[in-house]
Every structure is written in structure tokens, then in C-alpha cells.
Amino acid sequence: MAYTTPQDTSVNSQNSRLPIGLLAIGILLGIGFRFFELDRKLYWHDEVYTSIRAAGFTRQEIDDELFQNRIIPAPELQKYQRIKPGSTAADTIHSLALEDPQHPPLYFLMARWWMQQFGSSLAASRSLPAILSLLSLPLMYALAQELFASKNVQLVATALLALSPFDILFAQTARQYSLLTAVVIGSSWLLLRAVRLRGWQNWAYYSLAIAIGFYTHPFFSLTLIGHGVFIISSGLFVKKKKLRSHLTNSQFFLAVTAALILYLPWIYVLATNLQRASATTDWTRVSPGWLYLAKLWTLSFTALFFDFDFGFDNIWTYLLRLPFLLLIAAAIYKICRQTSNSTKLFILTSIFVPFLILALPDLILGGKRSAVSRYLISCFPGVQLAVAYLLASHLKTQQRFWQVVLAGIFTASIASCTLSAVSDTSWSKDLSYFNAEVAKNINKEAIANRSIKDTIVISDRGNDFTNMGDLLSLSYLLDKDVRLMLLSQSPDREMLKKYSAPLVFRPSEKLISALKQNQRRLEPILEYARLFRVRRAS
């Protein structure tokens, strides 16, 4: 394959001048947003599990200790968010291998080391992904250089990534997604560099990047498949240099093989715990219908530039995003029309190969993998690069319209990030979305009962055994006087009789049945969040 860095005169024209000040401000603002109010948003279910795994606990041992028909102060739950006494990094690996094998250990080991150095506060836990997200910025600049050899595109692409509401949101989330973004971009840059320079050292760096990607998240494989399609398909554009094309293919597959050898230990873990990995991802197999998928695709791709949420079923949520969908479509069209075959092929494969791998099974067999925004991370750098090329190729002094477009995109991104920064929850909090509202209602009860200190919240493991994660999430928001009655799978009926009107959070069917047998009924407080008050049956 003959990969050459394109020289696009429309982008590199001497008459073309970017508003450098605007781009610099955008990049600096994006960096600032990543570290602003790190501890404001609720620490949601998945983040709680990050701390649990990093600390060396398993879910089973926490459940077995907590749900024993006992009453404890809410803040006491946070001890499971700190390093387990006497534990080592091996306990972190064991926790993942035993209960969460679909998540490789790299980020969790990094989080454990970070916790040992800086503590387990929310700001400390989230500062690690925020710092890791900064790696993406120079890597995006380098990737744009490989693809376009244009400082204009490089600056615009870096600024778009810096101000992306989606990327900032996940840069402030104590999970491995900001690291995944950096590895996706970095591995793509190393691939193009290895193809262009051909030295074995460059292929070795690429192989190492693949291994890091595998150990970061299993969905890095979507990026790798896209790379494979790019390498193989590029041979179709080579007419006279077939020998070089075959050599590149061989070097690519040798690099992948070397990375897989490095990943063999975790492949073994997955193979021996495949049933567990499958069980913990069952929720992605629920089929929500094509309209639901289309809505989530729209929200996911436009969240790279704009992320105002007026409600999932509110038409304005989608109408305001329509200009950004058109912008993405125009950018892909321009890439197809004006860039070299290799650049065009790389952008298209990086966007559509990962997306179709997720979307087609959802449409044909049912499921909602492609509706999970964070699973589409492999697609997003390609979209940002395409939009950067579109904008940079038009940003000439005589084309004020495109300067207005760029300013409009930045304004939309900054407004979205500002709104997110002052919110206590976001769509990315998934099943914990309403926890902040739940905590406010419970705390109101605590204030009303402060004189008797009788605020009791009843809960158990829940129907799907997910309550523990959300109870720990709530513990960061609840008043110190709130106490939790955590019941076993065989609830103590005598304990339930002691309190006249306790609250109940996400009761299982067994708990609901026990309450009914005690002549109690559930009065909804926040029915959509499954928060109830217990009343005596009339």
C-alpha cells in the first residue's frame, strides 16, 4: 500500500487564515472544563464500581457484609471506596477477573495507584481521567498532521476535541473512557506513521498501542477492525506497488499478532469466565426498536458539538441537533470528494466500520449496543477530523460565513459544557440518573426529623442485585443523620415493624412481599426512581 500524506491546496492556501485566538481560547477553555467542579456531579453506579475494584473489594463480599438485616449510617458505606486494608494490586485484578472479566485491568490498576497517592475523594478519583483526557489533544494534532499535513486542520481538530461536550463529560467520569479515547487516536496516528515510514520500530510502537487498547477496553477491538479494513482495502488503490502493499499487510498482521500475545493472560481470564462476562452484559441484548436506536445515534454523534437535553421524547432535543447532523454529513461528503484515496478511506473506515459492527446486529437480531454512547468512542475521532477538514478548508478571510459557523459551533459547545458543569446529574449517569433527586427528597426527610433522628431508608440487594452500587452513590449525597436499613434476602419482619413511616429505595419483589405481609403499603414519592414511603395498610 502506498500511503502518502495529502497536500490539499484548499486547506493550505497562503490566503487562508484561521482565527488563531479563537482556537487557542477554545482549547484552553476545553482544558479548564475538564477540571471544573470535578466533585459536583453525583458519583454514579459505574464510578462506584471503579473505586470498589481499584480498592480491592468484590461486590459479593460487600453485599454479604451489608445486607444482613442491619442499620448503618449512610456515610459508613464509603469505606468500600477506600483501599481495602491489607489488599494489593492482585486483589484488584482478582475482583475484575471474578466478577467483571469484560473489563481489562489497566485503568483499574492505574486508579488504585492514584488512590494510594491522592486519596479516594471524588475530585481525586475524577482527576485521573481528566488528566488522561489531555493526552488526546496532542495525539489528535499529530493524527490530523498525518492525514492532512495542514496546520489549519490540526488546530481546528484539536479545538473541536478540546471543547467536545461528550469528551469533557467522560473526562470527568471515573471510568476508562478518556483513556480509551486517547488510545484510539494514538493507535491511529501510530498506524499511519508506521505505514508511511515502514520501519520495524514504528510497527513495534503500533503493536504496543494495540496491547494498551486491549487492556483498556474490549471495544478497542472496533478500532482495530477498522484499521484492518483500512489496510486491506487500501490495496485496491495500489496499482504498481503491490509488493509494498503485501509487505504492509504482513507487517500489520504481525503487529496485531504480537499485541494478542501480550493480551493472552486476559484472553485466558475471559475464556474461563465467559459465562460471567455474558451475564453482566445481558442488558445490551434488550431490543428497544429502531426508533429508539435512531434517537440515541442522533444524540450520540451530535453530543460531540452540542448537548442540550430537553427530554428524550421532546422534539426540540432533536430539532436543535439537526444542524449538527447536517454539518457531519457535509463534512463526510467533502472528505469523499476532495481528499486522497488513503485519507478518505481512513476517515470512512474509522467512522463506519465500528458503527456498523454495533448497529447491524442491533437492527437485525435485536439489542441496543449501538445505543450506548460510550461504546461508539471508536467512531468519534473520525467525525471530528472530517468536520475539522470541512471548516479549515473554508476558513478564508473572504468567507465570513464559515467563520460564523466555527464561532457558532464553539458557542454551542461552550454553552453545553457550562450547563453540564452546573448540573448535578447528566444523561451519562444511566441507571443512577435520578439519584441526586432521590437524595434531595431523603434529606428533606432528615431535616424534618432531625430532632428525633429517625430517618430510615430501607433497601435490599434489589431484583437485579444492582442496589449496592446506587446506595454507595447516594451515600455521597445523603445527610449524615440518614440511616440505612439494609435487609437480607430473608427480611427481618420485626425490624420492619419498628418504624411508622420509613422510606424504601428500589425494593425487590421479596421485600415488597414482606412489607405486604406486615400490613404495609408503598406510597410513591418518586415512582420513576422507585423511592417510596411505607404506610400502614388501611
Side-chain angles (χ1 to χ4, degrees):
M1 180 187 68
Y3 175 81
T4 56
T5 304
Q7 300 293 330
D8 192 317
T9 56
S10 68
V11 180
N12 290 288
S13 170
Q14 294 298 316
N15 295 324
S16 178
R17 293 202 304 269
L18 288 181
I20 300 298
L22 177 63
L23 295 176
I25 291 171
I27 293 171
L28 291 174
L29 280 174
I31 293 172
F33 274 125
R34 281 162 167 76
F35 295 93
F36 182 70
E37 298 277 25
L38 275 175
D39 57 353
R40 182 182 182 90
K41 285 189 178 64
L42 69 92
Y43 203 65
W44 78 289
H45 182 279
D46 280 17
E47 292 180 290
V48 164
Y49 269 88
T50 296
S51 295
I52 287 173
R53 306 299 183 197
F57 292 100
T58 64
R59 189 207 75 186
Q60 189 65 50
E61 68 178 302
I62 297 175
D63 279 358
D64 290 345
E65 185 174 332
L66 285 180
F67 297 102
Q68 294 295 331
N69 294 318
R70 53 187 299 225
I71 296 176
I72 63 173
E76 188 176 314
L77 269 63
Q78 292 173 32
K79 72 179 184 179
Y80 301 108
Q81 302 286 275
R82 298 186 285 269
I83 296 290
K84 178 183 177 182
S87 69
T88 66
D91 293 286
T92 293
I93 295 173
H94 172 73
S95 176
L96 290 164
L98 183 66
E99 295 184 338
D100 224 0
Q102 74 276 13
H103 287 294
L106 177 59
Y107 179 81
F108 298 88
L109 292 173
M110 295 172 69
R112 180 183 179 87
W113 179 86
W114 197 262
M115 192 182 294
Q116 290 170 331
Q117 305 305 314
F118 304 104
S120 57
S121 68
L122 299 192
S125 297
R126 285 172 170 163
S127 63
L128 174 60
I131 290 172
L132 290 173
S133 74
L134 299 182
L135 297 174
S136 299
L137 302 181
L139 290 171
M140 177 64 92
Y141 189 90
L143 177 57
Q145 182 180 33
E146 283 292 330
L147 285 168
F148 303 103
S150 163
K151 290 191 181 299
N152 290 358
V153 181
Q154 291 167 241
L155 286 170
V156 176
T158 304
L160 290 176
L161 175 62
L163 274 177
S164 165
F166 175 90
D167 288 283
I168 290 172
L169 192 59
F170 281 93
Q172 292 193 323
T173 301
R175 296 292 278 176
Q176 65 269 56
Y177 300 111
S178 63
L179 177 59
L180 177 61
T181 298
V183 179
V184 166
I185 297 171
S187 64
S188 298
W189 169 58
L190 289 171
L191 172 66
L192 297 182
R193 184 177 171 81
V195 170
R196 179 169 59 86
L197 298 178
R198 293 183 290 169
W200 68 266
Q201 299 96 329
N202 295 299
W203 284 107
Y205 293 143
Y206 174 65
S207 182
L208 181 60
I210 297 173
I212 293 173
F214 280 145
Y215 276 108
T216 298
H217 198 282
F219 278 2
F220 175 78
S221 58
L222 300 177
T223 291
L224 183 60
I225 295 171
H227 289 172
V229 173
F230 166 69
I231 291 291
I232 295 171
S233 301
S234 293
L236 299 175
F237 298 105
V238 178
K239 297 179 180 179
K240 296 182 179 180
K241 297 183 179 180
K242 290 186 178 181
L243 180 61
R244 181 175 175 181
S245 177
H246 291 317
L247 179 61
T248 299
N249 291 351
S250 300
Q251 291 170 321
F252 172 77
F253 288 109
L254 184 62
V256 173
T257 301
L260 287 172
I261 291 173
L262 292 174
Y263 190 55
L264 274 177
W266 205 256
I267 292 176
Y268 174 78
V269 169
L270 279 170
T272 54
N273 295 276
L274 195 59
Q275 186 174 358
R276 176 65 184 175
S278 177
T280 53
T281 56
D282 275 346
W283 61 274
T284 63
R285 300 183 183 93
V286 176
S287 185
W290 69 268
L291 181 59
Y292 176 90
L293 294 176
K295 286 182 175 181
L296 264 297
W297 296 340
T298 300
L299 296 176
S300 297
F301 282 95
T302 56
L304 296 174
F305 312 101
F306 177 76
D307 197 22
F308 274 34
D309 183 7
F310 299 97
F312 186 69
D313 295 317
N314 190 318
I315 188 64
W316 284 104
T317 296
Y318 304 95
L319 287 179
L320 291 176
R321 293 170 187 257
L322 183 59
F324 298 94
L325 282 179
L326 296 175
L327 178 73
I328 294 170
I332 293 173
Y333 176 78
K334 191 170 185 67
I335 286 286
C336 292
R337 289 295 301 269
Q338 293 190 359
T339 61
S340 66
N341 286 333
S342 55
T343 297
K344 170 173 56 183
L345 187 60
F346 182 84
I347 294 293
L348 294 179
T349 54
S350 69
I351 297 173
F352 291 105
V353 170
F355 176 71
L356 292 175
I357 289 173
L358 295 176
L360 289 179
D362 286 348
L363 291 172
I364 297 171
L365 303 175
K368 58 178 183 178
R369 301 161 196 84
S370 62
V372 182
S373 299
R374 58 189 182 272
Y375 290 177
L376 298 173
I377 283 176
S378 291
C379 308
F380 294 155
V383 173
Q384 290 162 326
L385 285 164
V387 172
Y389 178 79
L390 172 69
L391 295 173
S393 63
H394 287 294
L395 282 170
K396 300 177 182 179
T397 54
Q398 66 269 31
Q399 296 194 11
R400 296 292 182 187
F401 171 78
W402 288 99
Q403 292 183 3
V404 172
V405 170
L406 178 62
I409 293 172
F410 279 12
T411 300
S413 295
I414 292 169
S416 300
C417 295
T418 301
L419 182 63
S420 176
V422 299
S423 301
D424 53 15
T425 190
S426 70
W427 58 265
S428 65
K429 304 305 178 184
D430 211 340
L431 74 164
S432 304
Y433 181 84
F434 295 109
N435 280 9
E437 193 174 355
V438 168
K440 287 176 183 176
N441 279 269
I442 295 174
N443 288 338
K444 286 180 182 177
E445 185 85 1
I447 293 172
N449 293 336
R450 186 148 290 167
S451 59
I452 58 175
K453 294 187 177 180
D454 194 27
T455 305
I456 293 289
V457 180
I458 300 173
S459 190
D460 63 356
R461 300 188 192 203
N463 291 324
D464 51 4
F465 298 93
T466 61
N467 278 7
M468 184 268 288
D470 279 295
L471 287 168
L472 265 68
S473 168
L474 286 171
S475 73
Y476 289 98
L477 303 173
L478 292 176
D479 189 284
K480 60 182 177 63
D481 290 331
V482 173
R483 293 181 293 162
L484 304 174
M485 181 190 294
L486 302 179
L487 300 174
S488 70
Q489 291 178 288
S490 299
D492 186 331
R493 295 180 185 175
E494 293 303 315
M495 291 183 70
L496 294 175
K497 293 178 180 179
K498 292 181 179 179
Y499 300 94
S500 58
L503 307 181
V504 181
F505 177 67
R506 291 189 187 171
S508 67
E509 293 301 323
K510 285 186 177 180
L511 178 53
I512 292 173
S513 176
L515 289 167
K516 287 181 178 178
Q517 290 177 23
N518 274 7
Q519 303 299 310
R520 303 295 180 95
R521 61 182 175 85
L522 296 181
E523 178 182 279
I525 298 176
L526 296 173
E527 190 165 11
Y528 49 83
R530 301 197 66 208
L531 179 67
F532 306 92
R533 184 184 301 280
V534 177
R535 298 290 192 187
R536 294 188 183 277
S538 55

